Amino acid sequence: MKKTYKIEVDCANCANKMEQAAKNTPGVKDATVNFMTLKMIVEFEEGQEPKLVMKEVLKNCKKVEDDCEIYL
């Protein structure tokens, strides 16, 4: 399952860090962050609950870029 989320991030480098943090989150099969459109597309692993996984994605993203935001 894929879902798209609106994000708030300051620069392209920060967006890349957020993308890597999302990809390294358990339950995420793949993630792409587009700085130009301020969107994150997340593909979840089979049987995962997107809301729970996205809470962990946000925590991981805030570790690398503390002023980022993902609108769940």
Side-chain angles (χ1 to χ4, degrees):
M1 170 192 310
K2 282 187 181 181
K3 287 190 153 243
T4 302
Y5 298 91
K6 183 175 174 3
I7 62 169
E8 190 174 303
V9 63
D10 297 332
C11 68
N13 187 43
C14 301
N16 287 336
K17 289 179 183 177
M18 286 179 65
E19 183 175 299
Q20 284 305 312
K23 285 181 178 181
N24 293 331
T25 303
V28 174
K29 187 173 183 180
D30 194 25
T32 305
V33 173
N34 186 318
F35 175 66
M36 297 302 288
T37 61
L38 294 176
K39 293 194 189 268
M40 175 186 280
I41 300 169
V42 180
E43 184 177 355
F44 299 96
E45 291 178 353
E46 190 75 28
Q48 295 295 318
E49 177 57 48
K51 284 185 180 182
L52 297 176
V53 174
M54 286 307 294
K55 285 182 182 180
E56 294 303 311
V57 168
L58 181 57
K59 282 184 198 174
N60 289 342
C61 287
K62 288 213 178 263
K63 288 178 189 173
V64 296
E65 194 55 45
D66 63 353
D67 65 345
C68 72
E69 193 59 65
I70 302 172
Y71 299 98
L72 305 177

